[in-house]
Amino acid sequence: MRSSSRNHPGYWGFAGHRLSGIALAVFLPVHFYVLAMALDRARLDGFLKLAEMSAFKVGEWALVCLLSLHLFFGLRLLALELLPWSSTRNARLAWVGWGFVASMVVGLVFVAGVI
C-alpha cells in the first residue's frame, strides 16, 4: 500500500508556508486599517482598550507564530533552491521539523514577554 503524500514532511513544510502566507495576507489590510486609526486619537484609544482583551493577546501570539513559521519555512525553501546539497534527502526534510520547532520557540518567547 502506498502512503499518502500528505504524510510527507515536505508537504507539511509547503502547506505551513502557504497557509501562513495566506493568513498574513488577510491580516495586512486589518493592520493598515488600525494604523489609519492613529489619525483620530479617540478612535485609536478605543481600539487600544479593546486590544487589551485576552482574545487579542492570543491573536497576537498566533500572529507571531505565523510570522515565524512563514520565515523559517521560507528560509527552508531558499536553502533548498539556492544551496548545493550533497546530503541525503532525510537531512533536507529535517529542516521542516527544525523550522516548526524554531517558530514555536519564538512563540514561547513572545508569550513569556507578554505575560
Side-chain angles (χ1 to χ4, degrees):
M1 185 181 277
R2 197 170 166 178
S3 68
S4 172
S5 64
R6 291 186 180 178
N7 292 332
H8 193 272
Y11 172 79
W12 290 109
F14 155 78
H17 187 254
R18 181 64 53 96
L19 293 174
S20 63
I22 291 169
L24 293 170
V26 169
F27 165 76
L28 274 177
V30 176
H31 178 68
F32 292 143
Y33 177 73
V34 171
L35 286 177
M37 283 184 187
L39 298 174
D40 181 12
R41 182 70 182 183
R43 285 181 63 200
L44 181 63
D45 287 342
F47 177 78
L48 290 177
K49 287 179 185 174
L50 181 68
E52 289 298 319
M53 294 173 46
S54 60
F56 272 86
K57 299 297 181 187
V58 171
E60 287 176 352
W61 171 79
L63 178 64
V64 168
C65 287
L66 284 173
L67 282 168
S68 62
L69 187 74
H70 195 71
L71 168 74
F72 289 118
F73 283 176
L75 289 175
R76 172 192 165 266
L77 288 175
L78 284 173
L80 289 175
E81 291 290 326
L82 301 176
L83 297 177
W85 290 99
S86 60
S87 63
T88 65
R89 185 171 189 206
N90 289 337
R92 291 181 298 203
L93 292 176
W95 282 57
V96 174
W98 285 111
F100 180 76
V101 168
S103 67
M104 291 302 108
V105 167
V106 169
L108 289 174
V109 168
F110 178 78
V111 166
V114 169
I115 294 178

